[in-house]
Amino acid sequence: MTEGPDRQELLAVLTTEHFTLQGARSQTMSESASRTALFIGAVSSTLVALGFIGQASEVGAAFNVFALTVLPTLYLLGAFTFIRLVECSADFRYGLAINRIRGYYRQVAGDQANLLLLSGHDDGRGVFENMGLPAEGRSQLFSFATVVAIINSVIGGSAIAVAAGTIGAPLGASAAVGGLVAIVSVLGWVRLAARVLNRRTGGIEPMFPS
């Protein structure tokens, strides 16, 4: 045990770990796509149902009751979906681990390391470079999570607007309150995403920094 590990055995172990990490990363991406599709499907079904109820009740009490029942429920589903999507975005950590292994591959390759096209730097810049993304930050602005956050915030704002209209608020005031709630909701979800992602991906000291 005092001797260094056999290089061939170490390479076999790292190759297996690389394969396992890549599989885990693919699984989180698949889960993200499935959850997003489920949520958007639920939103589409709800909108169709609201359309039928609106035609049947001429946007009366029945419509308001139905809307104030399904919209908050849909918003809750969207909240659960969003949080899980942000957690799945922590596959960034898998990317760090894969790059660390690739960094060792490059050391083993020596003069032939240029044959390994992807980066072997196990830091944020190296991971984003391999993903073809800008290295300026761990942004959620172009992810499944942000899509869900925007749709969910519109749903929440719509529920508030319907509720305001039900208690007698003018249409313009109801729309303004609903829009304000939607904007605040989007900003809140984005800030939450940044905190969760930083907490789940931080604290790793790179061995092969950029």
Side-chain angles (χ1 to χ4, degrees):
M1 296 297 294
T2 59
E3 298 180 358
D6 179 82
R7 170 167 288 190
Q8 294 302 321
E9 292 181 353
L10 180 58
L11 283 174
V13 170
L14 291 179
T15 301
T16 302
E17 179 69 0
H18 191 163
F19 176 80
T20 302
L21 290 168
Q22 190 63 49
R25 199 174 191 188
S26 299
Q27 185 175 0
T28 59
M29 294 176 63
S30 177
E31 180 182 352
S32 296
S34 299
R35 286 181 178 272
T36 303
L38 176 63
F39 174 68
I40 293 179
V43 172
S44 300
S45 301
T46 300
L47 292 177
V48 171
L50 284 172
F52 283 133
I53 294 294
Q55 291 178 354
S57 64
E58 298 182 356
V59 194
F63 176 86
N64 292 335
V65 170
F66 183 77
L68 293 177
T69 300
V70 299
L71 291 181
T73 303
L74 198 59
Y75 186 85
L76 186 61
L77 174 62
F80 293 154
T81 302
F82 175 83
I83 293 173
R84 183 53 186 160
L85 289 179
V86 174
E87 291 177 346
C88 287
S89 297
D91 67 350
F92 178 88
R93 196 178 185 93
Y94 297 149
L96 291 178
I98 290 173
N99 276 22
R100 178 168 294 184
I101 294 173
R102 188 178 289 115
Y104 180 76
Y105 291 163
R106 297 181 71 89
Q107 285 187 342
V108 173
D111 295 338
Q112 301 301 315
N114 59 343
L115 297 176
L116 300 173
L117 180 61
L118 296 181
S119 168
H121 300 299
D122 56 339
D123 53 16
R125 181 173 295 274
V127 174
F128 285 122
E129 179 182 340
N130 287 354
M131 296 170 63
L133 298 175
E136 280 69 27
R138 303 166 188 174
S139 175
Q140 289 285 313
L141 296 180
F142 301 101
S143 66
F144 283 143
T146 302
V147 173
V148 171
I150 293 174
I151 295 175
N152 204 38
S153 297
V154 172
I155 291 171
S158 299
I160 297 298
V162 172
T166 301
I167 62 177
L171 178 61
S174 300
V177 171
L180 180 61
V181 169
I183 293 173
V184 171
S185 178
V186 170
L187 295 177
W189 287 126
V190 171
R191 291 188 62 182
L192 175 63
R195 290 199 301 269
V196 172
L197 189 60
N198 286 332
R199 185 172 63 248
R200 293 177 67 91
T201 60
I204 300 178
E205 188 69 25
M207 294 177 59
F208 307 101
S210 298

